[in-house]
Amino acid sequence: MKKLIPMIAVAALATMFTSCKKEYTCTCTTTVGGVSTSVSGKTTKMTKKDAKAACEKSTSASGITVSCKLD
Protein backbone atom coordinates (compact mmCIF):
# COMPACT_ATOMS: atom_id res chain seq x y z
CA MET A 1 0.00 0.00 0.00
CA LYS A 2 2.89 2.35 0.78
CA LYS A 3 4.26 1.87 -2.75
CA LEU A 4 0.87 2.32 -4.37
CA ILE A 5 0.19 5.88 -3.12
CA PRO A 6 3.36 7.45 -4.63
CA MET A 7 2.73 5.67 -7.93
CA ILE A 8 -0.82 7.04 -8.06
CA ALA A 9 0.46 10.53 -7.23
CA VAL A 10 3.05 10.38 -10.03
CA ALA A 11 0.44 9.17 -12.52
CA ALA A 12 -1.96 11.95 -11.51
CA LEU A 13 0.74 14.62 -11.89
CA ALA A 14 1.78 13.30 -15.28
CA THR A 15 -1.83 13.41 -16.46
CA MET A 16 -2.32 16.98 -15.23
CA PHE A 17 0.67 18.34 -17.16
CA THR A 18 -0.03 16.80 -20.54
CA SER A 19 -1.80 18.89 -23.13
CA CYS A 20 -4.85 17.45 -24.78
CA LYS A 21 -4.60 17.36 -28.57
CA LYS A 22 -7.95 17.13 -30.30
CA GLU A 23 -9.64 18.04 -33.54
CA TYR A 24 -11.40 21.41 -33.45
CA THR A 25 -13.84 22.98 -35.89
CA CYS A 26 -13.02 26.35 -37.40
CA THR A 27 -15.86 28.33 -39.02
CA CYS A 28 -14.95 31.10 -41.46
CA THR A 29 -17.36 33.71 -42.81
CA THR A 30 -16.52 35.45 -46.07
CA THR A 31 -18.35 38.68 -46.91
CA VAL A 32 -18.24 40.08 -50.44
CA GLY A 33 -20.39 43.07 -51.30
CA GLY A 34 -22.78 42.47 -48.38
CA VAL A 35 -23.27 38.77 -49.15
CA SER A 36 -21.94 36.38 -46.47
CA THR A 37 -20.95 32.74 -46.86
CA SER A 38 -19.86 30.44 -44.01
CA VAL A 39 -17.53 27.45 -44.33
CA SER A 40 -16.49 25.04 -41.56
CA GLY A 41 -13.38 22.90 -41.46
CA LYS A 42 -11.64 20.67 -38.96
CA THR A 43 -8.13 21.27 -37.68
CA THR A 44 -5.58 18.52 -37.35
CA LYS A 45 -4.81 17.21 -33.89
CA MET A 46 -3.46 20.17 -31.93
CA THR A 47 -3.93 21.92 -28.64
CA LYS A 48 -6.82 24.35 -28.25
CA LYS A 49 -4.42 27.30 -28.01
CA ASP A 50 -2.68 26.38 -31.30
CA ALA A 51 -6.01 25.70 -33.05
CA LYS A 52 -7.38 29.05 -31.92
CA ALA A 53 -4.29 30.89 -33.16
CA ALA A 54 -4.46 29.12 -36.53
CA CYS A 55 -8.18 29.70 -36.95
CA GLU A 56 -8.90 33.19 -35.66
CA LYS A 57 -7.21 35.31 -38.28
CA SER A 58 -9.32 37.99 -39.93
CA THR A 59 -8.35 39.52 -43.24
CA SER A 60 -9.89 42.07 -45.53
CA ALA A 61 -8.92 43.39 -48.94
CA SER A 62 -10.83 45.41 -51.55
CA GLY A 63 -14.37 44.66 -50.35
CA ILE A 64 -13.72 41.08 -49.21
CA THR A 65 -13.75 40.33 -45.49
CA VAL A 66 -12.86 36.92 -44.02
CA SER A 67 -13.31 36.29 -40.29
CA CYS A 68 -12.84 32.93 -38.59
CA LYS A 69 -13.62 31.58 -35.13
CA LEU A 70 -13.00 28.35 -33.30
CA ASP A 71 -16.21 26.46 -32.43
Side-chain angles (χ1 to χ4, degrees):
M1 185 69 172
K2 288 183 181 180
K3 292 181 181 181
L4 184 62
I5 292 174
M7 288 176 26
I8 292 173
V10 169
L13 283 172
T15 304
M16 289 175 26
F17 290 110
T18 58
S19 61
C20 186
K21 293 186 176 186
K22 298 180 183 178
E23 285 188 358
Y24 293 95
T25 303
C26 182
T27 303
C28 294
T29 303
T30 304
T31 305
V32 179
V35 178
S36 297
T37 305
S38 294
V39 177
S40 295
K42 290 194 177 196
T43 60
T44 57
K45 292 192 181 250
M46 57 178 59
T47 62
K48 186 172 185 175
K49 181 180 176 183
D50 291 341
K52 187 174 183 177
C55 177
E56 293 185 349
K57 294 181 181 177
S58 297
T59 59
S60 64
S62 55
I64 300 172
T65 304
V66 178
S67 61
C68 300
K69 66 177 183 155
L70 192 64
D71 296 331

